[in-house]
Amino acid sequence: MPGTALLSMDLQLNHLDRVPDDYLPNAVRALETARAAGIPVIHVILHLRSGHIDAHPRNKTFGSLPHHLYTAEDPGAAIHPDVAPRGDEIVLHKNRVSAFAGNNLRQILAAQDIDHLVLAGIATGGIVLSTALQAADLDYRLTVLSDACADPSPELHHTLLNKVLARRGEVVSTSEWAEALKAAG
């Protein structure tokens, strides 16, 4: 699908500890589907500077994090090996909630003429929501992979998918997405 990219977001070891055990196979399936269809995959991860000099103490999300987390020295900041980048897949660091924060994601998408983002990641109430809202405001077409997104709160995950994200784009399972790609191909 020309003009489409899969954003694989915050699939870091620290985040996977907070979601259901059955989540990871869905994220793997999303990556395999994109790769098989020739859809570019962009990995976006949280990366803060040593000592968190880029996280203001007033920031409720990042200001209270222990200063060793999500830095180059934190082994838990690594992408899980099952969903690790392959070949020339791009890895971008972000320093806030949205996948667009603190990096050149918009420039990369523009350079590749991408106008449709497929979102997978942790957490639905964090990076998925923030990225989807910003992407919608930037006029990207959106697809959210319902089972390739997860949140520590299943209730919040369900509400966001069905009441918020569905109003800004398409919400489908990884299987439904794979079938749509086959039908379009």
Side-chain angles (χ1 to χ4, degrees):
M1 292 186 78
T4 299
L6 172 67
L7 297 186
S8 177
M9 305 180 298
D10 282 355
L11 298 185
Q12 295 164 269
L13 297 173
N14 288 339
H15 290 144
L16 284 161
D17 289 343
R18 301 178 10 229
V19 297
D21 292 337
D22 63 351
Y23 166 75
L24 192 58
N26 296 324
V28 170
R29 191 168 28 263
L31 287 168
E32 289 171 350
T33 298
R35 289 168 177 154
I39 292 172
V41 175
I42 300 172
H43 302 264
V44 182
I45 61 170
L46 177 59
H47 180 83
L48 299 171
R49 294 185 181 275
S50 185
H52 290 194
I53 62 169
D54 49 351
H56 197 284
R58 284 192 307 256
N59 186 301
K60 287 183 94 169
T61 301
F62 300 105
S64 63
L65 282 176
H67 286 180
H68 70 283
L69 290 180
Y70 300 104
T71 64
E73 298 82 28
D74 177 13
I79 297 173
H80 190 283
D82 291 356
V83 288
R86 290 189 191 159
D88 61 354
E89 292 176 349
I90 297 166
V91 178
L92 289 176
H93 294 170
K94 66 178 182 85
N95 59 12
R96 289 295 181 271
V97 180
S98 172
F100 292 95
N103 60 42
N104 64 342
L105 177 58
R106 284 182 70 185
Q107 181 181 358
I108 289 168
L109 297 173
Q112 295 186 37
D113 202 23
I114 292 170
D115 65 357
H116 178 204
L117 302 179
V118 180
L119 306 183
I122 304 168
T124 312
I127 191 169
V128 176
L129 175 63
S130 185
T131 301
L133 293 175
Q134 189 167 1
D137 280 349
L138 294 170
D139 300 322
Y140 287 96
R141 292 180 296 128
L142 286 171
T143 300
V144 178
L145 300 178
S146 58
D147 57 348
C149 295
D151 196 273
S153 168
E155 298 82 19
L156 179 61
H157 173 77
H158 178 79
T159 298
L160 289 172
L161 289 175
N162 295 296
K163 305 271 184 187
V164 178
L165 297 170
R167 293 175 48 194
R168 287 166 175 83
E170 185 177 14
V171 176
V172 297
S173 69
T174 53
S175 298
E176 291 169 327
W177 184 51
E179 288 302 316
L181 290 174
K182 283 181 190 172

